[in-house]
Amino acid sequence: MSSDHQSSENVSARPAVQIDGVTKSFGNTPALEPCWMKIKRGEFLTLLGPSGCGKTTLLNLIAGFLEADNGELFLGEDLVTQVPPHKREIGIVFQNYALFPHKTVAQNVEYGLRTRGVPKEESRARVKEALSLVKLENFADRKPRQMSGGQQQRVALARALVIRPRVLLLDEPFSALDRNLRVSMQIELKEIQTKLGLTTIFVTHDQNEALSMSDRIAVMSRGRVRHVGSPQEIYEHPKDLFVATFVGDTNLFRARIESSEGRTRLDIGGRKVEISSEQKEPRDLPSAVIVAARPEQCSLTSVESPDAIPATVAVVVYQGSYVELYLECEAAVHGRIMMRDVSKSFFHIGDKVGIRLATKGLNIFGSEQEIG
């Protein structure tokens, strides 16, 4: 095989977006620590984290709105670190829509084509196609003020799609919408993204949004990418305590490892609990550990059971299909844990109960780790 052919294969195998050691600081304040990431073609990747974690900074670096201090950015085979935003062929949807109020829907959508010099006939056809994708083909002559928030968001999405971008970037686009409309827009966006096979990078601080929409999630904190993985990997096998506590509900228990021959035997609050840890070998952990258990990995039992962790009912919250119980528990890191009881049994404040942990699927961390 010729070296030219090998080189062409390497180029075609490159990801849609490649981030090589990119950093960004504002003055003396680091906003993004060295970041390496590869985003596959056609992938829906979500940047998830609390406010100020660096996710929007990373998105703006990919878009070209910010200049990296160090590192390189590639779109496909093209090095774009120094390329201005309008030449990166990227579609962007902002939280505040950023529509022109004096222009019609069609004129708003057409704007990116006009600035690129697309001929009028082709432009009209592409605007019609984009509006059809977002189910607004009958709204072309309306002004943004005549439309609901969800409809305006669809216009912003059509404007990003009409230029046929290499990558679509979305910065918390649904945060201003009410819950039902937000869920509806999530489904519509995912359907469009899948239909077009469009590489998409989505920014949110909403864990449920990230889990339901993403092919992969990059969890960020303090300018650092903590864990990149599928929603299932992030939820079931978090790399550290921050990820475990930020994504989904998690109960944390202080424990000591007493033995690890075949199964891991723990002392939690004076009770002996045996589990099978799938995360890492217990010998790699210190004797004092933190056990992370999702609410569905905790069940109620009699407080007299030998393997039950004692607790007291503090708050009972009716949630329709289940009851949320908040229990005071001395063995818990924060002194309280949360459980969901689908049987909707009747509990009183002050009831003494026992908590039994699942024997599989728990995650164990060294007690010195940062808790989110």
Side-chain angles (χ1 to χ4, degrees):
M1 184 181 294
S2 72
S3 60
D4 286 346
H5 184 61
Q6 287 176 336
S7 171
S8 126
E9 275 195 347
N10 290 338
V11 166
S12 65
R14 281 185 178 172
V17 180
Q18 184 166 324
I19 304 161
D20 287 345
V22 168
T23 68
K24 183 65 183 177
S25 295
F26 298 105
N28 294 323
T29 305
L32 184 69
E33 294 188 11
C35 176
W36 282 267
M37 198 183 303
K38 293 180 180 180
I39 301 165
K40 304 167 190 173
R41 296 173 190 270
E43 180 176 34
F44 193 113
L45 179 120
T46 295
L47 303 177
L48 174 67
S51 297
C53 72
K55 56 188 186 293
T56 296
T57 297
L58 180 53
L59 196 80
N60 285 332
L61 286 163
I62 295 168
F65 298 144
L66 291 175
E67 186 176 335
D69 296 335
N70 299 287
E72 294 181 329
L73 274 162
F74 293 86
L75 293 180
E77 62 273 15
D78 299 325
L79 176 63
V80 297
T81 314
Q82 303 296 327
V83 175
H86 66 279
K87 292 186 177 180
R88 293 194 183 192
E89 299 177 70
I90 284 178
I92 304 168
V93 179
F94 299 100
Q95 180 180 340
N96 63 357
Y97 316 144
L99 301 176
F100 296 111
H102 61 287
K103 293 181 181 290
T104 66
V105 166
Q107 289 167 341
N108 267 281
V109 175
E110 182 193 27
Y111 180 76
L113 298 177
R114 193 156 53 82
T115 60
R116 288 166 172 79
V118 176
K120 285 187 177 180
E121 283 298 316
E122 182 185 347
S123 181
R124 275 196 291 268
R126 285 169 64 172
V127 168
K128 185 177 179 181
E129 178 188 32
L131 288 177
S132 177
L133 266 176
V134 299
K135 303 175 185 176
L136 288 178
E137 53 266 61
N138 297 323
F139 293 77
D141 295 326
R142 292 205 188 175
K143 298 286 180 65
R145 66 177 178 274
Q146 298 172 309
M147 308 180 79
S148 68
Q151 289 170 332
Q152 290 183 47
Q153 191 58 276
R154 287 192 185 95
V155 176
L157 179 57
R159 184 179 57 187
L161 296 173
V162 77
I163 65 169
R164 295 174 182 168
R166 301 168 73 172
V167 179
L168 177 65
L169 306 181
L170 303 106
D171 189 5
E172 305 210 40
F174 307 140
S175 60
L177 305 178
D178 64 56
R179 182 184 179 278
N180 288 342
L181 184 54
R182 186 166 66 245
V183 171
S184 174
M185 286 298 300
Q186 290 168 7
I187 294 168
E188 286 190 33
L189 173 61
K190 187 60 180 175
E191 286 177 343
I192 291 169
Q193 185 266 337
T194 302
K195 179 179 179 179
L196 299 178
L198 181 58
T199 305
T200 300
I201 304 173
F202 186 91
V203 164
T204 186
H205 62 269
D206 186 319
Q207 299 96 326
N208 291 332
E209 195 167 64
L211 289 170
S212 64
M213 297 183 71
S214 313
D215 296 316
R216 284 192 305 156
I217 300 170
V219 182
M220 298 183 66
S221 169
R222 299 180 183 177
R224 184 158 59 92
V225 176
R226 307 288 287 255
H227 188 174
V228 181
S230 70
Q232 184 176 355
E233 290 168 347
I234 295 286
Y235 186 82
E236 295 184 3
H237 306 291
K239 282 190 175 178
D240 60 31
L241 265 176
F242 174 82
V243 178
T245 53
F246 187 77
V247 181
D249 295 311
T250 306
N251 297 311
L252 303 179
F253 298 91
R254 295 187 187 88
R256 296 193 69 82
I257 294 179
E258 293 199 335
S259 63
S260 57
E261 294 177 4
R263 296 175 65 81
T264 302
R265 192 177 189 196
L266 302 172
D267 181 316
I268 304 178
R271 301 297 176 97
K272 309 304 178 185
V273 179
E274 283 194 355
I275 65 169
S276 173
S277 174
E278 300 168 7
Q279 179 193 25
K280 60 179 76 174
E281 290 297 321
R283 64 174 175 270
D284 297 333
L285 289 163
S287 58
V289 295
I290 291 177
V291 177
R294 301 292 185 185
E296 62 269 22
Q297 295 172 322
C298 303
S299 59
L300 291 172
T301 186
S302 167
V303 72
E304 284 81 24
S305 298
D307 60 346
I309 303 165
T312 304
V313 176
V315 179
V316 180
V317 181
Y318 179 74
Q319 294 283 15
S321 60
Y322 61 91
V323 172
E324 252 175 22
L325 299 172
Y326 292 86
L327 310 174
E328 293 177 352
C329 176
E330 288 186 10
V333 170
H334 300 296
R336 179 173 286 193
I337 70 163
M338 188 269 278
M339 292 182 56
R340 298 186 180 100
D341 178 32
V342 295
S343 70
K344 293 185 278 187
S345 305
F346 193 74
F347 290 93
H348 293 93
I349 307 303
D351 283 353
K352 303 297 182 184
V353 296
I355 304 159
R356 178 173 287 149
L357 299 184
T359 57
K360 293 184 179 179
L362 301 176
N363 288 284
I364 301 177
F365 303 98
S367 58
E368 78 284 354
Q369 279 198 21
E370 172 193 359
I371 300 174

